[in-house]
Amino acid sequence: MADFDPTSVNLDTADPAQIICYINASSNEYNGHMGARISSIFVILVCSTLATLFPIVARRTPSLKIPVYVYLFARYFGTGVILATAFVHLLDPAYDEIGPASCVGMTGNWAVYSWPPAIVLTSVVVIFLMDFAAELYVESKYGVNNETNNMTGRASIVQEHDHALPENIDASTNTRKVAETNYNGSDSNNKDWDTWSDMDSTTAEKSFQQQIAAFLILEFGVMFHSVIIGLNLGVAGDEFKTLYPVIVFHQSFEGLGIGARMSAIPFKRGSWLPWIFSAVYGLTTPIAIAIGLGLRKTYNPGSNTANIVSGVFDSVSAGILIYTALVELLARDFLFDPCRTNDRRRLAFMVITTILGAGIMALLGKWA
């Protein structure tokens, strides 16, 4: 770039990479408003943490008498949010940062291949192998096979999908007679809707092992993205006034998705893990904002190094969330759940809520 003169460019002979790099070059645009930036640390901390905790509290505290549709809204809106985050908030920025049309993607070894889809593909394959290995481990440890899993709904249908319990199963067939939950805090038999508390320890442990690995991968992917968001908000320029409220909603919606997924995991009674996971997610972006403020005179989000780090992280996270959203959430809840509810109104509500979550989160991509 040293010999590039932007005031005298011959488009027939100029290196396109030099032009793109010059156009895309940016610097630290920090312009003060320290009070508002510090407030964003606490506002995002509170909002994102509360949004993450809501589905968990709704599921574990039947005395609150939260209606079924409030819980379902939180759960499936979160599913849509995770799906939109993967494509709009991660994959698209990755192309801007290290894709073929970016400064990074037109220079050095980054120019020999389109790296964002390759990294996403690698991420998806790795997550699949980890998920598959975990499944095989659980099957081996608890002495079950795939046929048994299919018959029992992956051994976690009752506690994970208690909104879809089969109705009036004859007890003479060696199964329980279950009435569908009305989600006002108790089912028709006045039993606690936190149904995993009634499971035997082996079934609960197996279900926990099957689901916790997938959840940790999901939270890991979202946290990658949250770190970059926090750093950029800490040093943003004039767009800070727009980014601030948008990121509050952005992080709250992502927290809702994480919390909804966590609420389906059969943690042991009294376990602190849900609260710890919620706190970790809630703290990630505020800590990154604080770091960004500390580096406000030196950190340049438009530098090649920052673009490479962000692009790789965003691509990895996109792969994680694409796999999680499509396989762990949409496919498992809607397509391959043998005890999915037959209530068409409830199914419609679940689908519409998922689409709404994806649509609103995609819309937020216009600003952040």
Side-chain angles (χ1 to χ4, degrees), residues 281-334:
Y281 170 75
L283 286 168
T284 300
T285 299
I287 290 175
I289 294 173
I291 293 173
L293 290 176
L295 301 175
R296 62 187 180 277
K297 295 182 179 179
T298 57
Y299 175 66
N300 178 10
S303 67
N304 267 23
T305 300
N307 277 326
I308 290 171
V309 173
S310 298
V312 172
F313 277 10
D314 283 347
S315 298
V316 170
S317 297
I320 292 173
L321 266 63
I322 287 172
Y323 180 89
T324 300
L326 298 180
V327 177
E328 297 290 342
L329 301 179
L330 291 179
R332 184 166 294 183
D333 285 355
F334 289 99

Side-chain angles (χ1 to χ4, degrees), residues 192-257:
D192 189 339
W193 68 317
D194 191 10
T195 51
W196 57 69
S197 63
D198 298 326
M199 296 162 53
D200 65 85
S201 59
T202 300
T203 302
E205 178 65 19
K206 182 171 70 170
S207 179
F208 176 79
Q209 295 283 355
Q210 285 176 322
Q211 297 179 62
I212 191 63
F215 170 76
L216 290 175
I217 291 169
L218 167 64
E219 182 158 22
F220 179 71
V222 172
M223 285 173 59
F224 259 166
H225 179 46
S226 298
V227 170
I228 304 301
I229 284 178
L231 287 172
N232 290 340
L233 183 63
V235 298
D238 293 336
E239 70 273 20
F240 172 78
K241 294 179 181 179
T242 302
L243 285 177
Y244 185 173
V246 169
I247 289 179
V248 170
F249 284 105
H250 181 285
Q251 294 305 106
S252 298
F253 289 160
E254 283 189 352
L256 196 62

Side-chain angles (χ1 to χ4, degrees), residues 326-345:
L326 298 180
V327 177
E328 297 290 342
L329 301 179
L330 291 179
R332 184 166 294 183
D333 285 355
F334 289 99
L335 301 179
F336 304 122
D337 180 1
C339 290
R340 186 190 64 212
T341 180
N342 290 322
D343 185 334
R344 292 295 187 263
R345 186 176 69 172

Side-chain angles (χ1 to χ4, degrees), residues 71-136:
Y71 173 76
L72 291 179
F73 179 87
R75 176 165 182 167
Y76 292 101
F77 186 90
T79 295
V81 165
I82 292 172
L83 180 63
T85 298
F87 289 98
V88 177
H89 294 266
L90 291 171
L91 187 57
D92 183 60
Y95 272 95
D96 289 339
E97 292 153 350
I98 60 174
S102 68
C103 176
V104 172
M106 299 181 72
T107 56
N109 291 327
W110 293 96
V112 302
Y113 194 76
S114 181
W115 289 103
I119 297 173
V120 170
L121 175 62
T122 302
S123 179
V124 168
V125 171
V126 170
I127 299 306
F128 160 71
L129 292 175
M130 292 174 62
D131 196 20
F132 187 48
E135 192 79 6
L136 291 178

